């Protein structure tokens, strides 16, 4: 395994950081893990709470099949072991937003066992080669509610809308050695979850968050004592938390202190962590099998159905884009990094191939280049995303077809695109109503070329004397005189002919 060169500089030499992430991903489901209550984000407090979620006496949990299915599909997407027999346990602790007094989780027998995820090389970020990050397990559990401290000057309120929402806890091995590797892992995991459709990956809304385990050691020595920074809700904050916490631990150790195993909180305003409580061991929660729930026993046919329901995943898609469509590795990586980008590109590709009556391979490069340069550039300028793009894939394909068949030139296409962004008009309509069609009239182009050469007789002499760079000047002047509407290939040919 190729390791990163990331090191923390200390007074006694270099230190290595060891990182593991526990990612809590909310399962995409219309109902909670053990009740039929809704899970929509942003509902009024306590409007999505069933009697089960509120822990009313005599209420019994019933597992939601869809939540189990989504967790199994996620496990299959990371090539993990699916455990046909798993069991729910009670994790006992008191907190005001936990009405049962315990959380239903899976400690001893999780639904999903060991798997792995590969992060890609990124020299700029300090990741020298592709690296496999081990995943220890995925277990399903119910979320707690939420305490609201900002609603009253002296009281805290409890919102149980999240109580009972299904979570997948995805636990990595301590295989990451830099903030960049942790960021790459989290981005890749979020992309896979979005491709699969098991979690929307929206960290801002809390549907995906990470507990960050950090320890430090001298390179090659035994693992040090780790701390866990809870509920970090963005990739950038995870990287900041690691950087700060690793440096803090080095300073403590080199100052003669020792690291205490504890839970910490990250402050995004200052980029620092602070102590929350000493870290409990598993036995402190008095785990035991939940007596209200039978073990989960999965049939082979259920697992097969989950496997066949998976879409083409990012790594396989990237390989196909390079090997079959002929795209560059860089373009393929960008296009497959997010499920939404890949879907948009494939819609553009399919429509381009249909209109131009060509194979997808023949139109792939032009489609990818236009999406990644022209469309992305415009969206960045407008502060928009692909989801709210003013131009859809069908309109983009129509524009590319007009360039491909010679109706407009590449420079005119840029003008047409700007008008499309502003007005929403179809490209063919814009070209027709504004008279932007490319001129292929040989006589008209020849006349302009003759005038340009006559007006620049001195430069013609210089060109014939060996200053060949002036050829581009003649082309530019001709295109300018014809307002960019001349066919560039014809302009080049006719200038060559005129210059002899």
């Amino acid at each position: 395994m190729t390791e990163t060169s990331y090191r923390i500089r200390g007074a006694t030499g270099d230190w290595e950081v060891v990182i593991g992430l526990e990612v809590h991903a909310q399962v995409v489901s219309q109902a909670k893990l053990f009740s039929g209550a809704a899970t929509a984000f942003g509902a009024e407090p306590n409007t999505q709470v069933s009697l089960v979620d509120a822990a009313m006496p005599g209420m019994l949990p019933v597992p939601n099949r869809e939540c189990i299915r989504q967790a199994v599909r996620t496990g299959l997407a990371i090539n993990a072991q699916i455990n046909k027999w798993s069991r729910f346990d009670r994790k006992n602790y008191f907190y005001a937003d936990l009405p049962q007094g315990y959380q239903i989780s899976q400690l001893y027998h999780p639904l999903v066992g060991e798997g792995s995820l590969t992060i890609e090389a990124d020299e700029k970020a300090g990741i020298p080669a592709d690296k496999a990050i081990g995943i220890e397990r995925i277990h399903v559990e119910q979320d707690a509610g939420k305490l609201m401290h900002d609603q009253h000057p002296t009281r805290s309120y409890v919102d149980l809308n999240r109580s009972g929402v299904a979570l997948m806890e995805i636990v990595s091995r301590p295989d990451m050695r830099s903030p960049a590797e942790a960021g790459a892992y989290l981005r890749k995991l979020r992309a896979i979850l979005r491709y699969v459709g098991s979690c929307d990956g929206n960290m801002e809304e809390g549907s995906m968050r990470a507990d960050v385990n950090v320890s430090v050691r001298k390179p090659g020595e035994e693992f040090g004592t780790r701390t866990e920074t809870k509920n970090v809700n963005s990739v950038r904050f995870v990287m900041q938390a690691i950087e700060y916490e690793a440096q803090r631990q080095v300073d403590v150790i080199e100052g003669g202190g020792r690291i205490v195993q504890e839970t910490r909180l990250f402050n995004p305003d200052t980029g620092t962590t602070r102590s929350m409580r000493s870290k409990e061991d598993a036995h402190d929660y008095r785990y035991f099998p939940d007596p209200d729930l039978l073990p989960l026993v999965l049939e082979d046919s259920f697992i097969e159905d989950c496997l066949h329901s998976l879409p083409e995943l990012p790594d396989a898609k990237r390989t196909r884009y390079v090997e079959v469509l002929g795209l560059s590795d860089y373009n393929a990586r960008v296009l497959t990094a997010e499920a939404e980008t890949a879907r948009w590109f494939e819609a553009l590709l399919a429509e381009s191939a249909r209109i131009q009556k060509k194979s997808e391979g023949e139109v792939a490069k032009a489609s990818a280049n236009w999406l990644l340069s022209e469309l992305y550039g415009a969206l960045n300028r407008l502060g928009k995303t692909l989801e709210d793009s003013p131009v859809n894939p069908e309109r983009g394909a129509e524009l590319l077809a007009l360039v491909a068949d010679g109706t407009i030139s590449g420079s005119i296409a840029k003008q047409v695109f700007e008008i499309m962004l502003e007005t929403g008009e179809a490209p063919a309509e814009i070209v027709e109503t504004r008279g932007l069609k490319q001129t292929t009239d040989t006589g008209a182009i020849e006349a302009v070329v003759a005038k340009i050469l006559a007006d620049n007789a001195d430069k013609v002499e210089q060109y014939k004397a060996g200053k060949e760079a002036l050829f581009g000047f003649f082309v530019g002047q001709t295109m300018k005189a014809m307002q960019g509407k001349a066919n560039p290939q014809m302009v080049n040919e006719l200038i060559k002919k005129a210059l002899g």
Side-chain angles (χ1 to χ4, degrees):
M1 183 188 293
T2 305
E3 293 290 355
T4 177
S5 58
Y6 181 83
R7 293 289 184 267
I8 299 100
R9 311 293 181 202
T12 61
D14 287 353
W15 294 76
E16 183 178 54
V17 62
V18 177
I19 306 153
L21 296 179
E22 299 170 23
V23 174
H24 297 263
Q26 181 177 328
V27 177
V28 170
S29 170
Q30 298 298 310
K32 296 183 180 179
L33 182 55
F34 297 116
S35 82
T39 60
F41 177 76
E44 287 296 310
N46 296 309
T47 57
Q48 298 182 159
V49 187
S50 75
L51 296 176
V52 174
D53 309 322
M56 290 294 130
M59 295 297 104
L60 293 175
V62 178
N64 180 339
R65 179 186 176 91
E66 178 61 15
C67 295
I68 304 304
R69 175 179 170 273
Q70 292 285 34
V72 170
R73 293 175 74 244
T74 302
L76 292 167
I78 58 166
N79 301 308
Q81 171 68 39
I82 306 301
N83 297 322
K84 294 180 185 177
W85 192 97
S86 62
R87 190 185 71 195
F88 288 105
D89 303 299
R90 287 189 182 181
K91 179 182 180 181
N92 296 274
Y93 65 96
F94 172 78
Y95 212 62
D97 61 8
L98 191 70
Q100 293 159 306
Y102 59 84
Q103 178 190 32
I104 302 176
S105 185
Q106 292 185 310
L107 175 67
Y108 300 110
H109 300 281
L111 183 62
V112 179
E114 292 192 1
S116 69
L117 179 157
T118 299
I119 59 174
E120 283 77 41
D122 185 343
E123 290 289 346
K124 288 183 181 177
I127 305 174
D130 290 1
K131 180 176 179 179
I133 307 297
I135 292 177
E136 183 179 302
R137 57 192 274 148
I138 301 177
H139 62 260
V140 291
E141 63 185 20
Q142 56 179 179
D143 204 354
K146 183 173 72 171
L147 285 173
M148 304 168 75
H149 304 293
D150 57 354
Q151 307 293 306
H152 191 278
T154 60
R155 297 177 182 175
S156 290
Y157 291 98
V158 179
D159 177 11
L160 294 182
N161 277 351
R162 290 194 63 85
S163 178
V165 164
L167 300 177
M168 295 178 286
E169 183 167 342
I170 305 165
V171 183
S172 84
R173 294 284 184 192
D175 289 346
M176 290 160 273
R177 295 291 179 270
S178 72
E181 287 187 1
Y185 168 84
L186 202 52
R187 282 190 291 269
K188 183 68 172 286
L189 178 60
R190 183 172 61 185
I192 290 172
L193 294 173
R194 286 174 165 170
Y195 268 83
V196 170
S198 57
C199 173
D200 65 21
N202 193 325
M203 300 186 80
E204 295 76 22
E205 293 181 0
S207 57
M208 182 175 167
R209 52 195 190 268
D211 296 343
V212 186
N213 292 288
V214 174
S215 65
V216 296
R217 65 177 181 180
K218 287 297 179 76
E221 292 186 359
E222 294 294 312
F223 286 167
T225 301
R226 65 182 170 88
T227 63
E228 180 182 31
T229 303
K230 299 286 285 185
N231 293 328
V232 187
N233 69 346
S234 86
V235 174
R236 182 166 60 90
F237 292 161
V238 164
M239 294 171 69
Q240 284 181 0
I242 292 167
E243 201 166 326
Y244 174 83
E245 184 58 19
Q247 186 65 59
R248 184 193 71 83
Q249 291 185 18
V250 168
D251 292 344
V252 168
I253 295 167
E254 292 190 333
R258 67 183 185 89
I259 302 303
V260 179
Q261 187 170 338
E262 63 179 350
T263 299
R264 299 180 69 85
L265 289 177
F266 176 72
N267 184 333
D269 295 327
T270 61
T272 61
T273 67
R274 64 175 176 83
S275 181
M276 180 181 172
R277 59 174 181 266
S278 63
K279 177 66 179 174
E280 302 90 343
D281 291 324
H283 61 259
D284 291 328
Y285 289 116
R286 304 188 318 283
Y287 278 98
F288 63 86
D290 193 302
D292 291 337
L293 289 159
L294 290 170
L296 284 174
V297 181
L298 306 183
E299 296 179 351
D300 288 340
S301 59
F302 178 80
I303 298 173
E304 280 295 315
D305 287 345
C306 290
L307 181 61
H308 292 317
S309 74
L310 291 179
E312 184 181 39
L313 294 168
D315 288 350
K317 196 178 286 291
R318 190 178 80 241
T319 300
R320 177 169 65 85
Y321 284 3
V322 173
E323 296 180 358
V324 178
L325 297 181
L327 299 185
S328 69
D329 187 62
Y330 174 80
N331 280 0
R333 284 175 188 266
V334 176
L335 289 168
T336 57
E338 290 289 346
E340 181 61 31
T341 307
R343 292 187 192 112
W344 212 101
F345 171 65
E346 295 201 349
L348 174 69
L349 194 61
E351 187 65 10
S352 291
R354 187 190 69 78
I355 295 174
Q356 296 181 42
K357 294 182 172 57
K358 295 179 180 177
S359 71
E360 290 191 344
E362 291 175 292
V363 299
K365 288 183 181 178
S367 298
N369 290 337
W370 179 80
L371 170 58
L372 296 178
S373 58
E374 301 300 326
L375 183 60
Y376 265 11
L379 293 177
N380 287 338
R381 192 173 73 244
L382 297 170
K384 293 181 180 292
T385 65
L386 272 180
E387 291 181 7
D388 51 14
S389 169
V391 175
N392 62 27
E394 290 72 25
R395 288 282 195 255
E398 290 170 22
L399 179 63
L400 290 172
L402 292 174
V403 176
D405 68 12
T407 301
I408 58 174
S409 64
S411 59
I412 292 293
K414 294 178 187 293
Q415 295 179 39
V416 173
F417 180 50
E418 288 300 322
I419 298 168
M420 290 167 66
L421 289 169
E422 290 174 21
T423 67
E425 290 178 65
E429 182 184 335
I430 293 168
V431 170
E432 191 63 42
T433 58
R434 290 166 175 78
L436 297 175
K437 274 189 180 176
Q438 187 165 251
T439 300
T440 54
D441 181 343
T442 307
I445 299 173
E446 280 180 331
V448 173
V449 168
K451 184 174 187 311
I452 296 295
L453 298 184
D455 290 347
N456 295 277
D458 57 332
K459 289 186 172 58
V460 172
E461 290 303 317
Q462 291 173 36
Y463 173 82
K464 290 182 176 180
K467 198 170 182 181
E468 294 184 0
L470 282 168
F471 188 84
F473 167 78
F474 300 133
V475 172
Q477 289 298 305
T478 304
M479 293 300 291
K480 183 179 177 183
M482 300 196 71
Q483 298 179 305
K485 296 177 191 176
N487 182 300
Q489 189 177 345
M490 293 182 89
V491 168
N492 275 266
E493 290 171 359
L494 293 171
I495 292 175
K496 279 180 187 173
K497 180 181 172 184
L499 288 170

